Amino acid sequence: MAQYSAEVDGVFVALADPTRRRVIRRLGRGPTSVGELAAEFPITLPSFMKHVRTLESNGLIRTVKTGRVRTCVLNRERLALVDDWLAEQRRIWEDRTDRLERLVTAEQQEPAERPKPTAQPGQVVTTEEGL
């Protein structure tokens, strides 16, 4: 589980930056050269390459060099890791809210269904309802 967590953490760190999210969005339309990608951003090429390296080191993209051109390709399977994590979190919270709903519903129905305590001769009723 710790390795799974480290992988998810890395993906979220990579996706935390709006520039990297835009790169991912752009690569969702298909592979693109680093030069073409960089032209879409108002930053220097060395700064842009840091973003590319972050995305690549976290497995979100891979780059392929052909001659002098480096092409970036989206790794869709890595995005599935985030989807799986989010689905797990969604299931956990839905279970929690379902339990809370059952508890609240049971408490709302309980006073009407609960029999009133009655005292036997010589007994003292100690619940609020019996007072």
Side-chain angles (χ1 to χ4, degrees), residues 50-119:
K50 288 181 183 179
H51 290 292
V52 169
R53 282 191 293 275
T54 299
L55 291 169
E56 192 170 25
S57 68
N58 286 292
L60 288 165
I61 68 170
R62 61 182 168 79
T63 60
V64 179
K65 189 170 185 178
T66 307
R68 294 175 52 155
V69 177
R70 182 168 295 278
T71 303
C72 297
V73 179
L74 181 62
N75 180 2
R76 295 176 191 278
E77 290 84 31
R78 194 64 166 183
L79 290 174
L81 184 68
V82 173
D83 191 41
D84 292 346
W85 184 86
L86 289 171
E88 181 181 345
Q89 296 307 306
R90 191 175 301 113
R91 182 189 52 77
I92 289 168
W93 283 101
E94 285 173 353
D95 288 349
R96 287 179 181 175
T97 56
D98 288 349
R99 283 196 312 265
L100 180 60
E101 181 180 10
R102 286 192 303 271
L103 176 70
V104 169
T105 302
E107 285 183 0
Q108 288 173 348
Q109 293 173 351
E110 192 172 285
E113 296 172 359
R114 187 184 315 150
K116 300 282 184 200
T118 56

Side-chain angles (χ1 to χ4, degrees), residues 11 14-32 37 40-41 48 51-52 54-56 58-62 72-76 78-79:
V11 171
L15 293 174
D17 185 88
T19 298
R20 292 190 287 264
R21 288 193 306 270
R22 281 184 53 202
V23 169
I24 293 294
R25 197 173 306 123
R26 171 58 187 87
L27 291 175
R29 292 182 282 173
T32 307
L37 276 173
E40 298 178 23
F41 298 91
F48 184 76
H51 290 292
V52 169
T54 299
L55 291 169
E56 192 170 25
N58 286 292
L60 288 165
I61 68 170
R62 61 182 168 79
C72 297
V73 179
L74 181 62
N75 180 2
R76 295 176 191 278
R78 194 64 166 183
L79 290 174

